[in-house]
Amino acid sequence: MLIEETTHIVYTIIEPPAFAMDIQLVRDFIFRFVKEIKHQSVAVELLGKVYFISDFEPKPPKLSVVA
């Protein structure tokens, strides 16, 4: 079944030390964004890797940030 959704693109640049300190804020924004746009999941690109984040994901992904 094909699901049509409006595309929303958000760009940001976060320096690694600031990202590491504010990872919970970033995660909270992503999950809130998923719920507000009523999509099943969103793709997040981080350090060249793509992660699909769903609103039902129970735990944050383990990420290591190199400064």
Side-chain angles (χ1 to χ4, degrees):
M1 181 167 110
L2 178 64
I3 299 173
E4 291 187 35
E5 298 176 326
T6 303
T7 301
H8 303 273
I9 300 174
V10 177
Y11 292 98
T12 188
I13 297 173
I14 304 172
E15 294 294 327
F19 179 78
M21 289 180 2
D22 293 331
I23 185 70
Q24 189 61 46
L25 292 173
V26 174
R27 182 180 184 278
D28 291 347
F29 168 78
I30 292 168
F31 279 78
R32 188 175 71 247
F33 182 72
V34 170
K35 287 180 182 181
E36 287 179 7
I37 64 172
K38 296 182 171 80
H39 283 206
Q40 191 171 21
S41 66
V42 296
V44 176
E45 182 180 347
L46 176 64
L47 300 173
K49 290 187 176 185
V50 176
Y51 301 89
F52 290 91
I53 310 295
S54 302
D55 62 352
F56 54 83
E57 189 172 326
K59 296 181 182 176
K62 292 183 180 181
L63 302 173
S64 61
V65 178
V66 178

